[in-house]
Amino acid sequence: MPLQMNREVFITAAVTGSGSTQDRSPHVPRSPKEIADSAIEAAKAGAAVVHCHVRDPETGTPSRDLKLYREVTDRIRDAEVDVVLNLTAGMGGDIVFGPTDAPFPVNANGTDMIGAEERVAHVAECLPEICTLDCGTMNFAEADYVMTNTPGMLRAMGQMMTDLGVKPEIEAFDTGHLWFAKELVKEGILEPNALVQLCMGVPWGAPDDLNTFMAMVNNVPDDWTFSAFSLGRNQMAYAAASVLAGGNVRVGLEDNLWLDKGVLATNAQLVERARGVVEGMGARIIGPAEVREKLGLTKRAPV
């Protein structure tokens, strides 16, 4: 099927992430206030969706603290600017094994493996419009650990998200993750009009060459909505590639710290740069109200 450029594009700003970037740039937000403020500025710059993790305010290390999620959510919803809220549900599936000659017991320093209900607890508490569902298990190069998402775990989490009325954003790090996501739709766990994020260049998932990217795109069903990103210097190139392939755009400090060589970026600056790329291609940036209509989302008021 011929590809068709997307003429009405939404931008997602992934504002902080869970990687070890907290000491590599002063612009990576840590506290709930900093995360919310950065998300609000990104929304003012043109992001229709903000994707949020939380961090320990003192150390900047990734956290699953329900109170931190609650504060971030409330601050964003109380802001004057409108934006679609997307919370991660990717925490709580990390296993760090022992040495190669004795992998068990697992290393307690870094292993964070919890049950499905606990992994979705902050989603049930905050009820964002979107939350992520990492649709597979993979090795990560940032440290010697495995991001673990078994079929049973994904079925349980996906069903909880659907029952809560929160739309899962399928995080696909390789083609097999899309294969399983289609199975979740077939089983009725996820709604047919699924939303997927193609995650390119994350070691050791799908590399960010165009052949692999097009293999990912060609595995997305026609009635799904997709967005895509790549890391570091390729972030803006993949903003353009995604739009050309019919998709939407994700940028932000979760994936890239730099605006130009030697120039550290803010989230708002990355959104502004992506907006310029998209509009320069002749596409229109759509806002949160249009995204809600497109994806069938219901805006929730502050709790």
Side-chain angles (χ1 to χ4, degrees), residues 18 50-55 62-74 77 85-93 112 114-134 149 157 160-161 164 166-169 300 303:
S18 61
V50 289
H51 169 60
C52 299
H53 295 242
V54 295
R55 293 176 178 266
S63 174
R64 293 188 285 101
D65 191 319
L66 201 62
K67 291 180 291 185
L68 299 178
Y69 277 110
R70 177 82 269 170
E71 184 178 346
V72 167
T73 300
D74 288 346
R77 285 178 172 155
L85 182 61
N86 176 340
L87 296 183
T88 184
M91 305 288 289
D112 180 30
I114 56 175
E117 188 170 351
E118 190 175 354
R119 288 182 72 171
V120 182
H122 64 293
V123 176
E125 167 72 17
C126 300
L127 292 177
E129 291 152 286
I130 301 171
C131 70
T132 61
L133 184 66
D134 297 336
N149 295 289
M157 291 175 65
M160 290 176 192
M161 294 168 184
L164 288 166
V166 177
K167 191 173 190 70
E169 180 185 76
R300 292 185 167 103
V303 178

Side-chain angles (χ1 to χ4, degrees), residues 13 15 25 44 48 51 83 85 92 113 140 169 214 242 261 267:
V15 298
S25 169
K44 290 178 179 177
H51 169 60
V83 70
L85 182 61
M113 192 72 189
F140 265 84
E169 180 185 76
M214 291 314 304
S242 183
K261 187 174 182 179
N267 281 303

